[in-house]
Amino acid sequence: INLMAGQLQASYDQVERTVEKRTRELAAVNAIAVAVSQSLNLEEILDDALEKTLQVMESDAGGIYLLDERASVLTIATQRGLDPHRVAGIDGLRLGEGFSGQVAQSGKPLVVGDIASDPRLTRLTARDEGLDTLAIVPLCSREKVLGTLFVASHNHRDFSDQDLQLLTAIGHQVGIAVENARLFGQAEQRLQQLEALYHADEEMYRHLQMGEVLQALVDVAVDVLNAQRSSVLTWHEGQQAWKFRATRGFGLEPLDALPSALGRKIAAEVIAGNGIATTSDLRVDLHQEEHDSDVLQILVEEGIRSCMHLPIEIGGEVFGIFGVWFDRPRSFRRGEQRLFLALAQRAEVAIENARLFK
């Protein structure tokens, strides 16, 4: 009887410890959910979530990757316990590469018991950091993977199924918060764009002289698109050439030597493409297009590295070529292109009004 009583008491103690541990874990998940819902600042959300995750998981290192869907690349958004000088060695994982890359691709958690000897290790930084054990879960929202959350230990540790369930629940909470923050950022950006377009309407529609309308367009474009320069080219019948009609942000003196060649190049690209023409890096084009090297060289010497152009059409005919120019190489996002197109469409109405007034 005494033996059975002792065994029963031990069982009760074990149950109490399990319940107590489970209660702490649920409280931790709830605390993380509350923390990430109190802010829409993505950086704050990720920092707070990671700090609380490491506490509840009793881990000394960890981090959060966010997935760039367009590039299919995972980027470190925040980390703890790793040498900052070595973080670059595990940054920029391709989808499917390494441990986190595989988790982001499959959408399934992963436990690595011995990092150094695991054949899936692609970045030696994790081994050089002295990390031994690793657990990774996806950041998911509405069945979509947005990134990964990982915790690691410098000493060997066996992550239980319960540990993985807890980490997965945390990853789900963080994933929802990431999506909410991004949606808020998109809504805020959209509101700013609408305000910018309203301002553009005010600036262009209050003029009835063609030169003033075009100047208002390039002035607004620089501000709205955060460009360094903007221009409008129109066809000069007498000289049979495309000429700059309005500009903002750069003097055209260095371009006077080749205005026709420049105008011809821009117009050919835009009209042939029948839409927005973008150049991400003029220096790359300079090495690839020998017949336009003189024009491109002048632009590069002016400090211009990238640009966007599209036609302004009035009555089904091309009236001019509207462009924005930037001092750095860049990839033009769809949102930027839509805003650029919206500016051109508003300009077409203002230009038609000026023509009718004349």
Side-chain angles (χ1 to χ4, degrees):
I1 292 174
N2 289 336
L3 179 61
M4 291 178 63
Q7 291 175 341
L8 190 59
Q9 183 62 48
S11 297
Y12 282 147
D13 291 343
Q14 178 64 32
V15 169
E16 281 189 2
R17 286 193 296 270
T18 301
V19 171
E20 184 181 358
K21 184 174 185 296
R22 185 61 175 165
T23 301
R24 289 199 306 269
E25 291 173 349
L26 291 173
V29 173
N30 184 62
I32 291 172
V34 171
V36 298
S37 65
Q38 289 179 339
S39 173
L40 286 169
N41 182 294
L42 189 55
E43 185 177 348
E44 291 180 2
I45 290 171
L46 299 180
D47 285 344
D48 290 346
L50 180 59
E51 188 172 344
K52 287 181 171 59
T53 299
L54 294 180
Q55 290 174 3
V56 69
M57 294 299 297
E58 298 178 352
S59 295
D60 52 9
I64 294 176
Y65 283 97
L66 291 181
L67 176 63
D68 181 341
E69 287 187 276
R70 293 179 63 189
S72 295
V73 170
L74 288 164
T75 303
I76 284 281
T78 185
Q79 64 86 19
R80 295 284 189 280
L82 303 176
D83 184 347
H85 300 293
R86 289 179 174 171
V87 171
I90 59 171
D91 203 5
L93 290 174
R94 295 186 303 276
L95 199 61
E97 178 190 1
F99 305 127
S100 282
Q102 291 183 33
V103 170
Q105 188 174 58
S106 68
K108 297 178 180 179
L110 176 67
V111 173
V112 181
D114 185 357
I115 293 175
S117 63
D118 197 296
R120 292 168 295 186
L121 179 67
T122 59
R123 304 289 182 92
L124 299 183
T125 300
R127 185 196 65 188
D128 297 339
E129 277 283 333
L131 299 175
D132 184 80
T133 314
L134 181 69
I136 313 167
V137 296
L139 303 182
C140 295
S141 180
R142 289 188 274 186
E143 300 182 355
K144 183 179 181 181
V145 177
L146 304 176
T148 63
L149 165 66
F150 70 89
V151 294
S153 176
H154 289 86
N155 300 314
H156 185 75
R157 171 182 175 177
D158 293 321
F159 286 100
S160 65
D161 291 341
Q162 191 171 333
D163 290 332
L164 208 56
Q165 289 173 6
L166 173 60
L167 195 60
T168 299
I170 294 172
H172 182 63
Q173 294 291 341
V174 176
I176 292 173
V178 168
E179 183 178 33
N180 289 341
R182 285 179 172 176
L183 290 173
F184 176 76
Q186 291 170 4
E188 192 172 39
Q189 184 183 41
R190 181 61 178 160
L191 179 59
Q192 292 173 351
Q193 290 178 351
L194 289 173
E195 290 176 348
L197 291 175
Y198 177 75
H199 172 66
D201 289 343
E202 282 188 321
E203 287 298 309
M204 286 188 288
Y205 294 166
R206 67 189 180 92
H207 298 293
L208 286 172
Q209 299 295 331
M210 185 65 74
E212 294 175 348
V213 170
L214 297 179
Q215 190 60 48
L217 171 61
V218 296
D219 288 343
V220 166
V222 167
D223 297 332
V224 171
L225 291 162
N226 295 317
Q228 283 70 55
R229 301 164 177 84
S230 181
S231 63
V232 173
L233 283 159
T234 58
W235 180 253
H236 192 288
E237 194 66 37
Q239 297 183 26
Q240 289 292 294
W242 291 93
K243 296 290 186 179
F244 286 99
R245 182 79 174 268
T247 62
R248 162 76 186 272
F250 61 113
L252 293 179
E253 290 81 2
L255 305 179
D256 282 343
L258 292 166
S260 298
L262 177 60
R264 187 166 57 251
K265 172 179 169 55
I266 294 172
E269 290 176 351
V270 173
I271 295 173
N274 196 29
I276 297 177
T278 63
T279 300
S280 299
D281 192 344
L282 285 167
R283 287 188 180 176
V284 174
D285 287 0
L286 182 60
H287 297 295
Q288 295 176 348
E289 301 184 29
E290 296 180 2
H291 59 287
D292 288 321
S293 61
D294 50 356
V295 177
L296 295 174
Q297 184 66 46
I298 292 175
L299 294 177
V300 170
E301 288 175 357
E302 275 286 284
I304 298 170
R305 293 295 299 276
S306 56
C307 56
M308 255 193 315
H309 289 88
L310 84 169
I312 296 176
E313 296 185 357
I314 307 295
E317 296 182 355
V318 176
F319 165 83
I321 308 295
F322 172 38
V324 284
W325 312 73
F326 300 85
D327 288 350
R328 294 183 179 180
R330 58 186 297 160
S331 298
F332 295 99
R333 300 186 301 272
R334 272 180 267 180
E336 287 179 301
Q337 294 187 35
R338 284 196 297 267
L339 183 57
F340 185 48
L341 179 61
L343 277 176
Q345 290 170 340
R346 281 161 167 76
E348 288 172 359
V349 176
I351 290 168
E352 179 63 12
N353 289 343
R355 291 180 67 177
L356 291 172
F357 176 75
K358 182 179 179 181

